[in-house]
Amino acid sequence: LFSKADKMSRSAPDGVIRFETDKDNEEMITSEINLRGVPWEAALNTYDLSASLDCMHKQITAWKIDVDAEFVLINSDNSKNLTQKVRNYADDEYRNTSVELDEWWFPINQEKGFVNEGKFAIEIRIWVYNMKGIRADPRIDFTDPNEPLHDIALVIGGDKIYANKGILASHSPVFKTMFYGNFAEK
């Protein structure tokens, strides 16, 4: 399903979610992951053996993300894993990539190496690409003094705005002179 060029240029996934659960559990298990600044939620339904990957991005404007996912049933010797590949997308209207894994139900047993001490494992390996309309880096909170880049506080009308001297100086000759000029007030 994935082209050779995709695999060669992006051998390592952007993220992996691993579920380990008892074979006899009948429940929904969820896990969250942040990939390239975008939140995702994965779910494994052990009752009917289905899995889903949902983009949890909540931006009002139009956006789209292409995603490749491998749903992998892990074998104890790692050489006979069962893999189902899905190529999909998420956008401002459609956010779900799901797969039915019910054909895996019968191989999940001790003899074939998929159950170890009553547990089995499924990984979801995720590649995110072609992000459009999304700011991948979260916006900086200029009211938070603990942001890593903040090294100065500007007081404007009694309100503190936290910033970075280097960034201000690179965009304003006034700040450049103020912060890096030869003044005794430094």
Side-chain angles (χ1 to χ4, degrees):
L1 179 66
F2 305 148
S3 74
K4 207 172 193 181
D6 287 342
K7 285 303 216 183
M8 289 171 56
S9 64
R10 307 210 37 218
S11 58
D14 292 310
V16 176
I17 297 175
R18 183 181 177 100
F19 295 106
E20 291 186 24
T21 187
D22 292 330
K23 184 179 184 327
D24 297 326
N25 264 358
E26 293 184 357
E27 62 182 356
M28 178 71 79
I29 307 167
T30 61
S31 182
E32 294 179 5
I33 190 170
N34 195 307
L35 303 172
R36 296 186 179 196
V38 177
W40 296 81
E41 180 180 81
L44 174 66
N45 184 339
T46 58
Y47 177 72
D48 64 1
L49 204 57
S50 61
S52 66
L53 180 64
D54 297 311
C55 181
M56 305 305 285
H57 187 63
K58 295 187 177 17
Q59 180 175 311
I60 296 171
T61 58
W63 57 272
K64 182 180 179 191
I65 305 170
D66 291 325
V67 60
D68 289 342
E70 288 181 345
F71 295 82
V72 184
L73 178 60
I74 305 297
N75 191 288
S76 58
D77 70 6
N78 239 357
S79 66
K80 299 176 184 168
N81 295 340
L82 293 177
T83 302
Q84 188 162 344
K85 299 175 183 181
V86 177
R87 171 161 279 166
N88 211 334
Y89 69 92
D91 64 17
D92 47 308
E93 294 180 17
Y94 179 79
R95 299 167 189 229
N96 180 278
T97 298
S98 62
V99 62
E100 299 294 323
L101 306 172
D102 53 351
E103 70 270 10
W104 288 359
W105 192 247
F106 295 107
I108 298 179
N109 62 46
Q110 191 83 33
E111 296 79 36
K112 294 190 179 186
F114 292 105
V115 175
N116 189 6
E117 296 179 11
K119 295 186 179 284
F120 70 94
I122 291 181
E123 285 184 356
I124 303 175
R125 300 170 185 165
I126 309 155
W127 290 263
V128 175
Y129 58 99
N130 293 336
M131 294 175 56
K132 296 176 184 158
I134 291 181
R135 183 184 174 111
D137 299 322
R139 298 196 182 272
I140 297 171
D141 182 357
F142 294 102
T143 63
D144 182 2
N146 298 316
E147 284 279 342
L149 293 176
H150 294 165
D151 60 2
I152 190 168
L154 305 173
V155 180
I156 302 170
D159 295 326
K160 283 188 178 181
I161 298 174
Y162 299 93
N164 178 277
K165 290 179 188 178
I167 293 173
L168 290 172
S170 70
H171 292 281
S172 166
V174 173
F175 282 123
K176 182 177 181 180
T177 303
M178 186 185 310
F179 298 140
Y180 301 110
N182 214 0
F183 294 105
E185 291 87 8
K186 281 200 221 177

